[in-house]
Amino acid sequence: MSKPSRRKFLESSALTVAGFFIVPRHVLGGKSSDGSRIIAPSDKLNIAAVGCGGKADVNIRQAYNSGSDNFVALCDVDDRQAKKYRAQFPNAPYFQDYRQMFDKAGKTFDGVIISTPDHMHAPIAMAAMQLGKHVYVEKPLTHDIYEARMLTQAAQKYKVVTQMGNQGSSGDATRIIETAIQNKIIGHVHTVYCWTNRPVWPQGVRSPKDKGESQPVPPEVNWPLWLGTAPPRDYHEAYMPTRWRGYWDFGTGALGDMGCHFMDVPFRALKLKYPTSVECSVGSVYADFFKEAFYDDSCPPSSAIHLTFPSDDKKVKEIKFSWFDGGIRPQLPEGVAYSDVFRDDNGGMLFIGTKGMLTGGLFGNDPKLLPADKFSGKELPAPEKPLVEGKTDGHQQQWVKACKQGYGAYTSSSFDQSGPLTETVLMGNLATRSYLAREDGKFTGRKKLLWDGDTMKITNFDYANQFVKRPYNGGYTL
């Protein structure tokens, strides 16, 4: 074979170079037009984990994806919780204080997964975004309404990829129900019910703090760092791990734990905005015969929350949305079987429209049109939005892949979606705490509370506004 001429060689080389220039930028990595970093899909995303036990076990495992991506820094205030992943990632430096990790190892990672108790979500996520790090934050996004609003705005300001850990938002059922509701399969929806069997941990109980009990702090635990933004109290094993969910200083109760799963589906399907009002009732606890107990440190054992939303549907003036926890369920509508509605032990959801009903379980799974005889042979429409690879199990990897593409890449529960959802969920806790408030021996907060979403303010009961934004202890800021 004859050797190519110099001219043909140069022409071929030019075409090859030109070919590289027309490859999409996200394939090669580099910088996007807004200056954010783009990582080539062939490269591993370097991730830091704040929180290594509990739900973090799932988040780290799914994001790591058998080694397709990498964890380069680990943080946990409890060395016992971190043991497994410190062994798996021996080259990743380990910290107990996330601020030290950001300061000393911040240049080594692109994204942060935050799987801590609720009261620490916001300060950690905000600090990460201020450093330009992409963030994955467990649900609920924040402990307070104000924090959710601030994180939503910060994600836009710092141009980072975000995801809240309500994995049902990546499931097929969420998209199927959203399509069915928006296509008016059951007509014009005016009422929604959601319910859960949670809490499955102690709530409505007298706390060790109220009883004056304390225990020695285990040597593996940095108790001041675990308390973080919360007011000081003595250590007790009743708070950790996981059981912190039932205490107001750390958790957000059954509603915070499961509301972001169940309420997410109707919130999307009906394109809900800020609620205009909220009212509630909660389960009572009695310490003795006719002696009602008020355990203000702990969330109540059960609650019923009733929200009102404005409607974009000209056929529906407003949407009534009720939440039930602690095993309480809504009344069974006429003409439907009990087993058709209450078929998931975790809880469920029910949409009521002018032409029928639609029900589903956790994440909206196994959606069904009701009454069964009316919709016999009627199939739900195919989802209009693209499905997520791996469905609910692909939620973490969806975020990882979006981080590689850069700001603007789609995730199922980015903060512009999950922030307003979290605000709505936490509105129920604001109502609950107002319902339990006692002033001069009177329950002054037992009323329908009117909400101005734009200003984040209850307009008819100022006492309730203290639950919009709590003060931070421990020198933390947002």
Side-chain angles (χ1 to χ4, degrees):
M1 296 178 63
S2 60
K3 294 182 180 180
S5 67
R6 176 179 174 82
R7 179 177 179 180
K8 290 188 177 293
F9 174 80
L10 291 174
E11 288 176 349
S12 175
S13 299
L15 288 172
T16 302
V17 172
F20 278 110
F21 278 111
I22 63 173
V23 172
R25 182 175 294 179
H26 69 266
V27 173
L28 299 175
K31 297 280 187 176
S32 67
S33 59
D34 60 28
S36 61
R37 183 185 176 202
I38 295 175
I39 304 168
S42 58
D43 292 340
K44 292 185 177 184
L45 184 73
N46 289 325
I47 309 169
V50 183
C52 297
K55 185 62 177 178
D57 184 40
V58 176
N59 292 336
I60 293 174
R61 184 175 70 252
Q62 301 283 42
Y64 180 62
N65 195 29
S66 300
S68 69
D69 295 282
N70 196 29
F71 278 83
V72 298
L74 302 172
C75 179
D76 202 300
V77 298
D78 186 345
D79 293 346
R80 297 170 300 183
Q81 296 292 311
K83 186 175 180 180
K84 173 181 177 179
Y85 286 108
R86 289 185 71 182
Q88 183 171 347
F89 306 113
N91 295 325
Y94 171 71
F95 304 86
Q96 286 192 321
D97 192 330
Y98 73 90
R99 295 166 296 188
Q100 291 184 4
M101 183 179 76
F102 288 173
D103 182 52
K104 296 181 179 180
K107 294 182 179 180
T108 66
F109 53 83
D110 305 291
V112 183
I113 293 180
I114 300 164
S115 311
T116 67
D118 301 347
H119 71 298
M120 290 304 295
H121 287 182
I124 300 172
M126 182 64 79
M129 288 192 287
Q130 288 171 344
L131 293 174
K133 308 301 181 184
H134 306 301
V135 289
Y136 181 107
V137 183
E138 255 312 310
K139 51 79 192 165
L141 183 60
T142 60
H143 185 280
D144 299 343
I145 295 170
Y146 173 82
E147 294 174 323
R149 184 74 60 90
M150 293 302 101
L151 291 195
T152 302
Q153 294 176 359
Q156 296 173 342
K157 177 180 178 180
Y158 296 109
K159 300 186 183 306
V160 294
V161 176
T162 58
Q163 182 93 298
M164 183 173 75
N166 56 330
Q167 65 270 28
S169 63
S170 287
D172 291 359
T174 296
R175 288 157 175 74
I176 292 170
I177 293 176
E178 182 177 9
T179 301
I181 295 299
Q182 293 176 4
N183 287 348
K184 302 290 190 293
I185 300 298
I186 61 171
H188 305 275
V189 174
H190 51 80
T191 303
V192 179
Y193 298 128
C194 290
W195 61 95
T196 181
N197 66 337
R198 268 63 162 187
V200 292
W201 52 82
Q203 278 191 200
V205 298
R206 192 180 179 200
S207 73
K209 177 183 176 182
D210 288 342
K211 291 186 287 187
E213 295 179 354
S214 64
Q215 295 175 340
V217 180
E220 302 92 344
V221 176
N222 189 319
W223 184 239
L225 287 181
W226 192 93
L227 286 173
T229 61
R233 70 170 68 200
D234 291 336
Y235 169 83
H236 198 284
E237 64 182 4
Y239 306 129
M240 60 186 294
T242 307
R243 293 182 296 275
W244 50 262
R245 290 192 179 280
Y247 297 94
W248 287 122
D249 281 351
F250 317 123
T252 48
L255 181 57
D257 179 53
M258 297 303 287
C260 290
H261 286 317
F262 286 105
M263 295 173 70
D264 176 59
V265 181
F267 195 82
R268 292 169 184 268
L270 294 167
K271 299 181 180 179
L272 297 179
K273 301 177 176 63
Y274 300 130
T276 55
S277 69
V278 60
E279 58 184 312
C280 77
S281 59
V282 305
S284 299
V285 177
Y286 282 80
D288 205 342
F289 189 67
F290 273 102
K291 185 179 179 181
E292 189 171 3
F294 297 102
Y295 301 139
D296 296 324
D297 198 33
S298 173
C299 307
S302 59
S303 65
I305 313 293
H306 308 289
L307 297 150
T308 302
F309 291 88
S311 173
D312 288 337
D313 189 336
K314 294 180 180 180
K315 299 289 186 179
V316 177
K317 181 180 178 181
E318 57 188 19
I319 296 171
K320 299 294 186 180
F321 194 138
S322 293
W323 164 270
F324 306 91
D325 61 42
I328 300 174
R329 293 174 171 178
Q331 184 179 11
L332 183 72
E334 291 289 337
V336 298
Y338 193 88
S339 58
D340 281 339
V341 177
F342 305 114
R343 60 188 192 277
D344 186 335
D345 291 339
N346 289 295
M349 61 191 68
L350 177 67
F351 298 79
I352 303 177
T354 55
K355 296 181 180 179
M357 292 169 276
L358 191 157
T359 184
L362 178 62
F363 309 147
N365 288 341
D366 190 22
K368 184 176 293 188
L369 295 167
L370 299 173
D373 55 352
K374 179 178 179 179
F375 289 99
S376 178
K378 177 76 172 180
E379 293 187 0
L380 288 163
E384 294 177 355
K385 289 188 176 179
L387 301 180
V388 177
E389 183 181 354
K391 308 182 191 305
T392 56
D393 287 343
H395 194 60
Q396 294 84 354
Q397 266 296 304
Q398 184 200 46
W399 171 75
V400 168
K401 293 173 182 177
C403 290
K404 294 178 181 180
Q405 295 178 46
Y407 177 70
Y410 171 76
T411 57
S412 298
S413 198
S414 56
F415 289 1
D416 60 328
Q417 169 68 32
S418 56
L421 167 65
T422 299
E423 289 189 40
T424 295
V425 169
L426 297 177
M427 180 59 58
N429 280 343
L430 178 147
T432 298
R433 303 193 75 176
S434 298
Y435 183 89
L436 295 168
R438 303 177 298 284
E439 298 179 86
D440 299 324
K442 297 180 179 180
F443 294 97
T444 53
R446 296 188 175 182
K447 61 178 72 176
K448 177 181 284 189
L449 303 176
L450 305 180
W451 178 245
D452 184 335
D454 291 334
T455 62
M456 291 185 288
K457 186 175 182 179
I458 294 292
T459 59
N460 65 331
F461 184 55
D462 191 56
Y463 180 95
N465 289 311
Q466 66 182 294
F467 304 122
V468 174
K469 176 186 178 183
R470 76 190 193 281
Y472 282 178
N473 286 282
Y476 294 87
T477 60
L478 191 60

